[in-house]
Amino acid sequence: AAKNGGRGQFRFYAADLKNEEQERENLLDDLRIALEADQLRLEYQPVVSIKSGAVVCLEALMRWEHPERGEVSPSSFIPVAEESDLINNLGEWALRTACETAAEWPNSVRIAVNVSAVQFANPGLPAVVANALAHSGLAPDRLELELTESIFVGDSIETEQMFANLKKLGVRLALDDFGTGYSSLSYLRSAPFDKIKVDKSFVESCTQKDKNSAKIIAAIVGLSSALNMETTVEGVEAFDQLEVVKSKGAKLVQGFIYSRPLLREEVLERIKQGDFVIEPDGPDKYRPD
Ligand code: C2E
Ligand code: MG
Ligand code: MG
Ligand code: MG
């Protein structure tokens, strides 16, 4: 529109860009304050075994209660933080907090923490992870780092080195949002992932007439099991989706059908009650077998 329009329109366009820039600056300033002022928290969403209902892992998800704007979604503030050094501070805070929280859980329950590609490109990351583990006393194999395909845009030798240094710590690595990025299969050949997380976009459409999404889920489950990796299917909201996903061989599911992200206290409460088992929300709350 800016190109075809008159001068006035171009000026509007330029002004919009400037506002957008300003808006990002403001958000970044507020986010810096938020980290200092305790406005950030983590919520924990269960990853559930379809067969037993057991919670095997919880994913830590960052939440920001802005004093004026209310809750700001991580999908809006993480990309802004990634354009500055602040993502490293946020990431370190998340790792420390998540490890401390998980250290209070039974040994059978893991914690998953999202790690930005910017953090992954930072040579200091292994030390940050090691400190979070040492400080909390959490066993390294109970920590799963979630990485997305965007880590592969960097230098491949440095990428390999970072993988080696993280694996040396004994942590697990998961490939998040699989199928949405560049999705080159070549990096699965050598990258040491323990788990693939199927992106929720495939689940959204897996019950529709065109069966391609369901077939892709089946293919990813097969691929990752052939490579000795686990699979978690993300974003399962409805019972018919759960049945499709299960029929395609998936064993682990994360989605609103089992649970929304929970507060730290809610997780502890559930654990205190005994077995941490969740039934899917369904017609009769029955578990498909
Ligand atoms: P993600 O890592 O793929 O996390 C899963 C997202 O799917 C979460 O959104 C979760 O609330 C949402 N979700 C889970 N089950 C369902 C479902 O059944 N239906 C739907 N519609 N959504 C579901 P959330 O919490 O808004 O986070 C969005 C993204 O922000 C995350 O995607 C992740 O990329 C990023 N993020 C969140 N916390 C952190 C963090 O601590 N560090 C970094 N680097 N990124 C984070
Ligand atoms: Mg994730
Ligand atoms: Mg994901
Ligand atoms: Mg995502």
Side-chain angles (χ1 to χ4, degrees):
K3 218 175 179 180
N4 301 332
R7 289 170 62 131
Q9 266 183 356
F10 179 76
R11 270 211 304 277
F12 275 127
Y13 183 61
D16 279 352
L17 274 183
K18 209 171 162 230
N19 288 340
E20 222 172 90
E21 178 79 8
Q22 188 60 55
E23 170 69 13
R24 294 173 83 81
E25 288 290 324
N26 292 344
L27 204 65
L28 194 58
D29 288 343
D30 289 357
L31 198 47
R32 280 206 179 86
I33 295 166
L35 184 59
E36 303 294 313
D38 251 4
Q39 293 166 14
L40 297 174
R41 67 179 190 282
L42 295 177
E43 291 188 358
Y44 303 89
Q45 189 180 28
V47 177
V48 181
S49 155
I50 300 177
K51 199 170 174 185
S52 65
V55 175
V56 298
C57 180
L58 294 109
E59 178 178 8
L61 294 160
M62 212 181 280
R63 298 289 180 259
W64 178 17
E65 168 102 47
H66 188 287
E68 287 120 40
R69 302 174 196 222
E71 288 286 331
V72 185
S73 160
S75 316
S76 5
F77 70 79
I78 293 288
V80 173
E82 282 175 330
E83 285 184 16
S84 91
D85 203 38
L86 189 61
I87 189 64
N88 289 310
N89 305 80
L90 290 182
E92 180 167 2
W93 173 82
L95 278 162
R96 289 182 77 107
T97 307
C99 288
E100 276 166 24
T101 302
E104 303 176 19
W105 300 343
N107 286 334
S108 58
V109 183
R110 291 197 179 98
I111 179 82
V113 182
N114 291 286
V115 172
S116 157
V118 178
Q119 292 173 267
F120 189 85
N122 182 344
L125 177 64
V128 168
V129 174
N131 281 337
L133 289 169
H135 192 261
S136 61
L138 187 76
D141 64 354
R142 290 182 56 206
L143 174 62
E144 196 163 86
L145 304 181
E146 295 196 2
L147 307 165
T148 65
E149 291 163 300
S150 55
I151 60 167
F152 292 102
V153 299
D155 179 278
S156 65
I157 294 180
E158 281 167 19
T159 301
E160 233 173 86
Q161 194 59 57
M162 180 55 78
F163 273 129
N165 289 338
L166 291 174
K167 286 311 290 182
K168 246 189 270 166
L169 297 175
V171 299
R172 287 164 51 96
L173 302 177
L175 182 53
D176 202 358
D177 301 344
F178 185 73
T180 59
Y182 300 96
S183 294
S184 157
L185 296 179
S186 66
Y187 49 63
L188 286 181
R189 212 165 37 194
S190 52
F193 290 112
D194 301 282
K195 176 187 269 188
I196 290 178
K197 298 190 81 174
V198 180
D199 190 70
K200 55 177 172 286
S201 57
F202 297 105
V203 176
E204 259 165 48
S205 48
C206 77
T207 53
Q208 282 158 18
K209 263 210 199 77
D210 113 68
K211 295 274 175 33
N212 282 345
S213 288
K215 286 177 184 163
I216 290 169
I217 292 171
I220 299 174
V221 170
L223 174 69
S224 83
S225 119
L227 296 171
N228 287 315
M229 299 175 194
E230 291 181 345
T231 315
T232 296
V233 180
E234 287 191 293
V236 178
E237 296 180 353
F239 209 74
D240 53 347
Q241 293 174 335
L242 182 62
E243 296 206 298
V244 170
V245 160
K246 184 181 184 296
S247 76
K248 299 305 174 194
K251 304 274 188 282
L252 301 175
V253 159
Q254 177 180 356
F256 296 162
I257 187 160
Y258 282 104
S259 177
R260 293 183 174 271
L262 304 171
L263 299 172
R264 178 178 167 276
E265 298 76 34
E266 291 177 306
V267 174
L268 285 176
E269 193 52 43
R270 292 299 305 263
I271 287 171
K272 253 197 287 171
Q273 284 165 13
D275 284 347
F276 198 0
V277 170
I278 306 185
E279 304 292 331
D281 265 337
D284 310 296
K285 290 235 170 202
Y286 97 102
R287 184 190 299 146
D289 48 22

